[in-house]
Amino acid sequence: MHVGLLTGGGDCPGLNAVIRAVVRKITNAGGDCLGLLEGWRGLIEMNTRPLPALETDGIIARGGTILGSSRTNPYKQPADVQRCVDNFRDLGLTALVAIGGDDTLGVASKLYAEFGLPLVGVPKTIDNDLMATDFTFGFDTAINIVMEAVDRLRTTAESHRRIMVVETMGRHAGWIACLSGIAVAADYILVPEVPVNLDHMCSVLQRRRAEGKMYGLVVVSEGAKLPESGLITSDVHTDEFGHVQLGGIGEVVADLIQNRVKIETRSVTLGHLQRGGPPSAYDRVLATRFGIKAAELVLEGKFGMMSALKGNDIQAVPLKDAVAKQKILDMRYYEEAKAFFPEEEPKK
Ligand code: F6P
């Protein structure tokens, strides 16, 4: 049994924990593992490294991925798809575990469906926007990073009586903004799933000040759309999967607030800090459980499947279900967040 592993898409805390779990489980079963470097590019270019169990010692505590990552999409070039199929055979792989988000797993799902490659997926993304799993690993670490950052920003906001706007990642799903916003008791949260109502946001901020709270915290998701400007992008070029780079909405929102409510307002974009550093305990455990399940699927010969969290159980779900569409924010969370910035004026 010769099992390949690759990590694709944006890096994410917990990738190394998955690698460790797969390698340990496969080697314990008498097989060995081969790392394909930098996502699908590693398979296209046959860029690999052996992964003996000892190499995975201690990596559970490290962010990023020891295999490197990229947003390489083999389906951009038909020749690259064929290379993946040929190289899979030439490397003598029995199976391949692809660890990634919707883009990486979308490729895995197609290679399985079109060529019958024995692939198993593991869901990763700080955005938590993958279908068929309740949560992805990386998300918990990301919201904890946002929480710690905002707890620090709060002291300055409070001291200077300012409003602080914090921009989070998350692409077109509001999971990071909404759940971190709840965790920091934000005065207002802007997510892509809800049309932005600037009048309401400003009236909430003004009301809080009139009530005596002399600072304000607004959490905005990078993918939220403003009434006039729509999506704000920091680079119009698209990556190999057709995504534009989002970013910049925090500053725009801060300017809008300052102009309307006449309170000094600053913005902070947390950017890649949200993806960096060691994974939280929750993510280490979840990633480990996902890795064990993926290795079991390989050992049982159950391909075209992905490890998934359903309640407290780790289950196998078809890869195609995970990539069918994007999992946007569960609006129950936003309704709960809104209890703190209701549409109606609070009753006196
Ligand atoms: O998908 C993870 C993510 O961090 C998104 O939240 C963000 O929009 C994107 O990746 C940024 O990608 P890159 O690191 O390629 O700029």
Side-chain angles (χ1 to χ4, degrees), residues 81-110:
V81 175
Q82 195 52 50
R83 261 183 215 116
C84 285
V85 177
D86 295 344
N87 294 347
F88 190 94
R89 187 196 52 228
D90 293 348
L91 289 167
L93 296 176
T94 325
L96 173 59
V97 177
I99 311 161
D102 51 351
D103 296 332
T104 305
L105 298 184
V107 172
S109 179
K110 276 189 181 169

Side-chain angles (χ1 to χ4, degrees), residues 67 122 124:
L67 298 178
V122 176
K124 90 58 250 203

Side-chain angles (χ1 to χ4, degrees), residues 276-322:
S280 64
Y282 179 88
D283 278 337
R284 294 180 198 198
V285 174
L286 181 60
T288 300
R289 296 179 78 199
F290 279 161
I292 290 170
K293 183 70 181 176
E296 282 169 2
L297 289 169
V298 167
L299 295 168
E300 290 161 12
K302 291 187 180 148
F303 300 115
M305 305 298 280
M306 180 187 88
S307 317
L309 180 70
K310 301 275 188 189
N312 286 325
D313 290 339
I314 302 293
Q315 298 181 3
V317 295
L319 261 175
K320 64 173 172 30
D321 292 356

